[in-house]
Amino acid sequence: MPIKTDNFATEERISPIRGTKRRNLDPAFRRLTMICGTLILLAVAGIFFELVLESRPSLEKFGWSFLFTGSWNPVTGEFGAASSIYGTLVSTLIAMVVAVPMSLVIALFLVEMASPGVRRLVGGAIELLAAIPSIIYGMWGLFVFAPFMADHVQPFLTETGLPLFAGPPMGIGMLTAGIILALMILPFITAVTRDVFTLVPPVLKESAYGMGSTTWEVTRKVTIPYGIQGIMGGCFLGLGRAIGETMAVTFVIGNRHEIALSLFSAGNSIASTLANEFTEAADPVYLSSLVELGLVLFGLTFLIQILAQMWLKRVRKKMGTGT
Amino acid sequence: MKERSFIFRRLTDLLVRIISALAALVGLFFLGWIIYIILARGAAAINWEFFTELPAPPGMPGGGLANAIAGTLAMTVFAVLMGVPIGMMAGVFLSEFGRGSRLGEWIRFCTNVLMGTPSIIIGVFVYVVVVLSTGNFSGYAGAAALALIMLPVVTRTTEDMLNLVPDALRESALALGAPYWRVTLGVVFPAAKTGLITGTLLAVARVSGETAPLLFTALNSTFWPDSLNEPTANLTVTIFNYAMSPYPDWQAMAWGGSFLITAGVLSATVLARGILWMRSKNR
C-alpha cells in the first residue's frame, strides 16, 4: 500500500510544542531523492548517448558492414566486428548449453531433495561461485583449467572426429571460455530457478503426488510448466552476465581476430577485444571502432535485460508476489 | 498418453535424482577447486614485504604490492563515498515516493539495465566522459567507474529493505507529527539497518574485485599513489598484467594478489550473508 505523501507536503507547519513556525523540509527531501533517482536514468541515457557519439567516425566510415566484416587490421585501418560478435555469441551459447540444464537440476536438488541443512549449505556454496571475482576465474582458467582441458578433456573430444573438436588441444579457446562462463552464470540461474520452484503452490504439487506421480514427473509436468516464465527470466539474466563477462574470457579465449569452426581454436569476444586493445588505440578510427563494439555489446545486454524483466514481471504477476 | 510401467517410472525418477545430486556436487567441486588453488598458490606469495614494498622488476627478489593495495583501498573508499549516498537516496525515492509512479517505474527499469550492463561498458563510458575530457587516466576516474557499478546495487537493496519495513511504523511516526524526512531517516532507516549495512557490504565486496572498469580509467602504476589525480596502482589490474607476463616471479605475485582479493571478497560476502541469516532466524 503506497502512502500518500502529498497530504504532508504543506509548505510550512506549526510546531505544536514550541508554537513557532518551522520550515518544512519535506519537499526538499523529496526533491533530493528524486534527483538521485533521476541520476540513474541519466546514467543509462548518458551511456547510450556517449557511445553513439564516440563511435560516429566508425559508424560513418564502415556503416552496417561493420557488423559483418571479419577483418580487424589496425595497420590498414580496416575494422569489422564479425569475429568479436561471433566469439561472444559462441562462447555465450556454450555457457548456456552447459549452465541451463545444470542449474535446473541443481535447483531441483535444492528444493525437492535436500534436507533444510544441506539445502542451506549447498545453496550457499553455489551462491559463493557468484562472489568470486572474474579475474580469479581468469587466473584459475589460464593456469589450471586450460592445461587440464588440454591434457584430459580435449584429446578425448578430438577422437569423436567432429569438426567442432578439430585442431591441436591447446587448452585455451572457445570451449574453455564457454565452460568457465557457465560456472560463472550457474549461481544466477540456479538462484532464480530455486525461487521459482519454491513459489509453486504446494497444493498443485501435492495433488500430483497424490495421484502417484514421482518427483521427476511432478517437476516435469507441474513445477516447470508453472514456473517456465520465471525460469526463462533467470536464463536471460544469466545470458546477460555471460555476454558481457570480460576478464575470465580475456584470459582463456586466446585473443585472435579470426572465425574458426573448431571450438578448440583461439578467438575473441567483444569484451576481450575491448580489454586488450582499448589502451593501445591511438588512431581515432581505431578507438571509435572499439567504442562501436562497446555499443553493440550494450545494445545486446539492453535487449536481453528487457526480455528478462518482461518474463520475470509476468511470473510475479501470476504468482502474486507484489511488484 | 502411453502407459509406462511402474518400474520404468521409478527408475527414471532415481536417475534424475542421481543426476541432480551429481550436478550439485560438480558445482561444489569447482568451488573447492578454485579456492584450493588460490590458497595453495597464493599463500606462498604472501609475506611481510608483500604488504609493505613496492613492486620489484622481474628477476629481482622481494618486492610487494603495497602501492596496489593502497590504490585499491583508496579508490574503493571514494567509490563508496560517491555511490552509496546517491544509491540510498534513489532507493528512498523508489520505496517512499515513487511507488507506482511513472517516474519510479522508469528509474526502476534503468536500475535493472545499469545492473545488467557489463562492467567493461561502464569502463568505456567513464573513459569517454572523464578520461577524454580531463586528458589523463586517474584514480578518480576509476573510483567513478566503481561507483557507477555500485549505484544500482545499492539502490535496489535500499528499495527492497525499506519495502520490508511495515507501513504501520511509518504511519505511527507520521501521526506523532514527524515530517516525512525524519520518519524516513529516523524511523524507517534504523528499522532496516541490518539489511542496509549488509547490502552495502555486498556491493563493496563486488566492486573491490572488479578489473574491467579499471583497465582504462585508473590504468595502473608501479609507484605509490600520491594523489588520485594520476594513473593509480590497483590490485586487480596488477594481477592481470602480472599474470599475462612471462616472468614466474611476477606470476607468483599475481597469485598473491588473487589470494588477497579472494579472501577479502569472500569473507565480506560470507559475513554479510551470515548477518542476514542470523537476523532472519531471530524473527
Side-chain angles (χ1 to χ4, degrees), chain B residues 138-185:
Chain B
S138 67
Y140 290 122
L146 295 184
L148 206 49
I149 292 169
M150 206 185 276
L151 184 62
V153 186
V154 176
T155 303
R156 276 285 301 273
T157 322
T158 309
E159 191 202 355
D160 289 349
M161 292 302 155
L162 296 191
N163 276 339
L164 288 179
V165 177
D167 280 347
L169 199 63
R170 294 182 176 90
E171 282 155 8
S172 27
L174 286 169
L176 289 172
Y180 210 94
W181 65 270
R182 285 200 65 177
V183 175
T184 308
L185 298 181

Side-chain angles (χ1 to χ4, degrees), chain A:
Chain A
M1 269 292 288
I3 298 177
K4 280 219 183 77
T5 52
D6 294 343
N7 298 354
F8 310 100
T10 44
E11 266 309 314
E12 294 203 324
R13 69 171 71 206
I14 312 286
S15 163
I17 302 158
R18 273 172 277 164
T20 49
K21 278 190 177 177
R22 262 199 303 180
R23 191 158 157 62
N24 183 7
L25 294 173
D26 274 357
F29 181 65
R30 193 197 158 109
R31 210 164 296 137
L32 175 73
T33 64
M34 196 160 95
I35 290 170
C36 288
T38 316
L39 277 180
I40 296 176
L41 239 152
L42 287 179
V44 173
I47 292 174
F48 191 71
F49 177 75
E50 290 288 343
L51 291 183
V52 172
L53 198 70
E54 283 301 312
S55 53
R56 268 226 320 258
S58 153
L59 283 168
E60 277 163 14
K61 189 168 175 199
F62 304 114
W64 287 107
S65 70
F66 181 78
L67 295 178
F68 311 108
T69 314
S71 73
W72 183 273
N73 193 338
V75 182
T76 58
E78 286 294 318
F79 298 103
S83 76
S84 298
I85 295 175
Y86 174 81
T88 302
L89 295 182
V90 170
S91 59
T92 309
L93 185 73
I94 298 172
M96 294 301 284
V97 166
V98 177
V100 171
M102 211 170 143
S103 308
L104 279 177
V105 288
I106 291 181
L108 177 68
F109 172 80
L110 292 175
V111 175
E112 307 287 351
M113 291 161 58
S115 66
V118 173
R119 179 184 310 165
R120 210 175 46 238
L121 265 177
V122 176
I126 297 287
E127 277 178 24
L128 269 194
L129 277 174
I132 295 177
S134 75
I135 189 154
I136 304 300
Y137 279 100
M139 285 283 284
W140 170 81
L142 179 64
F143 290 108
V144 181
F145 190 59
F148 172 82
M149 289 286 288
D151 292 341
H152 302 290
V153 180
Q154 291 184 338
F156 291 102
L157 289 175
T158 311
E159 278 173 25
T160 59
L162 291 172
L164 280 180
F165 303 125
M170 294 185 295
I172 57 173
M174 289 288 180
L175 184 65
T176 310
I179 293 176
I180 293 177
L181 278 179
L183 268 182
M184 298 180 75
I185 61 173
L186 184 74
F188 292 94
I189 308 179
T190 306
V192 176
T193 312
R194 189 184 59 181
D195 290 349
V196 168
F197 279 2
T198 28
L199 282 177
V200 175
V203 163
L204 281 183
K205 286 195 241 171
E206 280 156 12
S207 26
Y209 279 123
M211 294 179 62
S213 303
T214 60
T215 309
W216 170 237
E217 284 165 349
V218 172
T219 306
R220 194 164 58 93
K221 293 185 179 150
V222 179
T223 316
I224 293 183
Y226 192 87
I228 186 71
Q229 292 167 327
I231 298 171
M232 290 288 288
C235 290
F236 277 113
L237 282 187
L239 183 64
R241 292 245 142 214
I243 215 163
E245 180 45 57
T246 311
M247 297 320 294
V249 174
T250 307
F251 269 97
V252 296
I253 204 164
N255 302 312
R256 218 170 49 130
H257 284 282
E258 260 167 61
I259 296 179
L261 181 63
S262 169
L263 299 180
F264 289 178
S265 64
N268 61 357
S269 75
I270 296 179
S272 77
T273 306
L274 287 173
N276 276 314
E277 301 182 21
F278 208 84
T279 46
E280 296 166 6
D283 179 54
V285 177
Y286 191 2
L287 186 67
S288 92
S289 299
L290 284 170
V291 177
E292 193 180 345
L293 268 186
L295 183 64
V296 172
L297 181 58
F298 184 61
L300 281 174
T301 50
F302 191 79
L303 270 179
I304 291 168
Q305 191 67 34
I306 289 177
L307 289 172
Q309 294 306 321
M310 213 176 68
W311 286 109
L312 287 174
K313 205 171 205 166
R314 273 195 210 172
V315 77
R316 284 196 199 107
K317 221 176 240 169
K318 181 166 143 192
M319 298 193 176
T321 50
T323 47

Side-chain angles (χ1 to χ4, degrees), chain B residues 232-275:
Chain B
T232 305
N234 59 84
L235 266 177
T236 44
V237 178
T238 307
I239 294 173
F240 179 52
N241 291 340
Y242 278 20
M244 290 301 205
S245 79
Y247 315 112
D249 39 354
W250 273 15
Q251 290 177 359
M253 276 288 169
W255 283 112
S258 305
F259 175 76
L260 203 59
I261 284 280
T262 315
V265 172
L266 284 193
S267 50
T269 310
V270 171
L271 180 73
R273 291 199 184 282
I275 295 173

